């Protein structure tokens, strides 16, 4: 059995815990995109998107690839893509419980 560092797990999961970061991840789930493309796709603010990209990159969830003057952002690997898909599968099953949960802490 794997030894779990709970603090590290929480830090990793923090990368998924903001609406903008989830939007970014969904935006780049199937293909790499530049900051400008991400900003356009999710109708966000470039500075804000850049901060969230830094968080996602810092947590090891995404990677950036330099090509000329552009950086293309994509998911780190297939496992991250599968994790995002699994979030959707599990959420579909528990969505009504999540919607009515009064114990959610912001």
């Amino acid at each position: 059995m794997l030894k779990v560092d709970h603090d590290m797990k929480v830090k990793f999961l923090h990368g998924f815990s903001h609406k903008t970061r989830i939007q970014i991840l969904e935006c780049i789930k199937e293909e790499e995109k530049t900051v400008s493309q991400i900003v356009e796709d999710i109708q966000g603010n470039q500075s804000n998107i850049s901060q969230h990209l830094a968080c996602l990159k810092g947590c090891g969830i995404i990677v950036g690839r330099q090509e000329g003057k552009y950086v293309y952002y994509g998911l780190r690997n297939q496992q991250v893509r599968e994790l995002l898909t699994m979030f959707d599968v599990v959420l579909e099953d528990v969505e009504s419980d999540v919607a009515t949960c009064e114990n959610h802490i912001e």
Side-chain angles (χ1 to χ4, degrees):
M1 187 148 115
L2 291 173
K3 182 179 179 195
V4 177
D5 179 336
H6 295 291
D7 292 332
M8 191 63 64
K9 195 175 205 178
V10 168
K11 193 171 183 179
F12 173 70
L13 289 172
H14 176 75
F16 298 95
S17 69
H18 193 281
K19 181 179 178 179
T20 300
R21 289 193 290 272
I22 292 295
Q23 289 175 308
I24 290 168
L25 292 169
E26 291 296 333
C27 179
I28 64 173
K29 188 174 178 180
E30 300 304 326
E31 66 179 338
E32 297 177 318
K33 294 189 178 176
T34 65
V35 174
S36 298
Q37 290 171 315
I38 295 167
V39 167
E40 184 177 323
D41 285 355
I42 70 173
Q43 301 291 295
N45 169 287
Q46 183 163 349
S47 175
N48 188 25
I49 300 286
S50 293
Q51 289 176 353
H52 286 292
L53 285 168
C55 174
L56 290 166
K57 193 172 178 187
C59 286
I61 298 169
I62 67 170
V63 293
R65 177 181 61 80
Q66 185 84 37
E67 187 174 302
K69 66 178 185 171
Y70 298 103
V71 176
Y72 287 84
Y73 293 94
L75 300 181
R76 179 183 192 99
N77 54 34
Q78 182 61 30
Q79 286 84 2
V80 173
R81 184 173 289 106
E82 290 169 5
L83 183 58
L84 289 170
T85 299
M86 186 55 65
F87 284 156
D88 292 340
V89 170
V90 173
L91 181 58
E92 187 175 345
D93 185 46
V94 299
E95 189 170 6
S96 62
D97 295 322
V98 172
T100 59
C101 179
E102 295 179 9
N103 297 315
H104 181 72
I105 300 170
E106 291 281 330

